[in-house]
Amino acid sequence: MEIKRLPVELIEEYKRLDTSSITDALDKQGIDGGLLGIKAVVDGTRVCGQAFTVHYVPCGTVKGTVGDFLDDVAAGDVVVIDNSGREYCTVWGDIMSQVAKQKGIAGTVVDGVCRDVKTIREVEYPIFTKGIYMMTGKDRVEVDAVNIPVGVSGVKVCPGDLIVADENGAVCIPVSVVEKTLEIAKSIEEVEGRIVSIVKGGKTLKEARVEMGYHKLQTKVK
């Protein structure tokens, strides 16, 4: 599946937003994009880029490979791995992290666990997972497809969707609504900043929120 490339300038604008504003903007459109349970392995790291998706399944009697898909990932993309939330084996470790860092890959999101965190933290590779566990995925799971729609925490992620992750968690923005979501998210951040300014000017928080329509900022327009 071919990835629709987004303008670099648009991605750069998303790098200045936090995931809270982005999920509020998606809520405004009736879209659930938050990837529940996905957290940073390396504190202070951030991810923003288009998704290169990878799907894993359990191995059968004939063992498959955990995959050499990194050779096909473009610089700036985010590897999104659907390992069905498995906690008994990992699909990402020190070799993958060092190679991805060298290639300029923006980061990795795993619906599952990773290992070799000492090296991951040393090279400061941005990876967001559901946990850490040392057992290898080799002979336990195998890659059965790349760049197909996958699921992470119950959210559909398609190749080319925009992935943003920070200290608050990770979110997927469908490529079809990237521009609209950016516009809404920026307006939400502007309103929230204005609320703080109004309170500093002497009004109560309640007054400021009513004035700026805070309670309906993320409410879907019918």
Side-chain angles (χ1 to χ4, degrees):
M1 184 174 180
E2 186 175 352
I3 292 178
K4 175 186 176 182
R5 289 296 167 188
L6 296 170
V8 174
E9 298 79 11
L10 190 150
I11 295 175
E12 288 299 317
E13 286 204 65
Y14 265 98
K15 290 180 179 179
R16 294 191 283 270
L17 296 173
D18 64 38
T19 53
S20 299
S21 300
I22 295 170
T23 53
D24 284 353
L26 289 173
D27 277 345
K28 189 81 172 178
Q29 302 168 78
I31 300 170
D32 289 327
L35 308 182
L36 182 64
I38 303 292
K39 300 177 182 178
V41 172
V42 183
D43 290 340
T45 53
R46 180 181 174 86
V47 161
C48 184
Q50 292 188 260
F52 179 104
T53 61
V54 184
H55 188 257
Y56 278 84
V57 294
C59 286
T61 54
V62 178
K63 308 301 183 184
T65 174
V66 289
D68 297 317
F69 55 83
L70 276 186
D71 294 333
D72 301 319
V73 183
D77 282 354
V78 177
V79 178
V80 178
I81 297 177
D82 177 358
N83 196 29
S84 297
R86 295 181 183 91
E87 296 180 337
Y88 62 82
C89 67
T90 182
V91 291
W92 193 280
D94 54 357
I95 294 176
M96 302 281 277
S97 297
Q98 292 174 87
V99 171
K101 183 87 172 184
Q102 179 182 337
K103 285 176 58 66
I105 293 170
T108 299
V109 170
V110 183
D111 191 355
V113 296
C114 70
R115 69 177 187 176
D116 302 326
V117 295
K118 181 175 183 293
T119 299
I120 290 173
R121 288 170 177 159
E122 284 175 352
V123 302
E124 296 184 332
Y125 181 71
I127 180 169
F128 291 71
T129 74
K130 286 186 172 176
I132 299 165
Y133 192 54
M134 83 298 293
M135 296 293 288
T136 182
K138 286 180 285 187
D139 295 336
R140 294 186 172 93
V141 291
E142 61 187 85
V143 173
D144 74 328
V146 300
N147 275 341
I148 62 166
V150 298
V152 177
S153 299
V155 173
K156 183 178 181 179
V157 181
C158 295
D161 284 350
L162 189 62
I163 305 296
V164 181
D166 59 17
E167 54 274 296
N168 294 308
V171 58
C172 172
I173 307 98
V175 69
S176 60
V177 298
V178 164
E179 293 185 5
K180 184 177 181 181
T181 302
L182 175 64
E183 179 183 345
I184 297 171
K186 287 167 67 176
S187 68
I188 287 173
E189 290 200 349
E190 182 179 346
V191 168
E192 291 183 341
R194 179 64 182 146
I195 289 171
V196 173
S197 296
I198 291 172
V199 173
K200 287 180 178 179
K203 290 189 177 182
T204 66
L205 177 59
K206 181 178 180 180
E207 290 171 333
R209 283 178 165 174
V210 170
E211 180 178 333
M212 298 306 298
Y214 172 80
H215 295 292
K216 292 186 177 180
L217 271 181
Q218 83 293 341
T219 303
K220 182 182 178 182
V221 179
K222 296 181 180 179

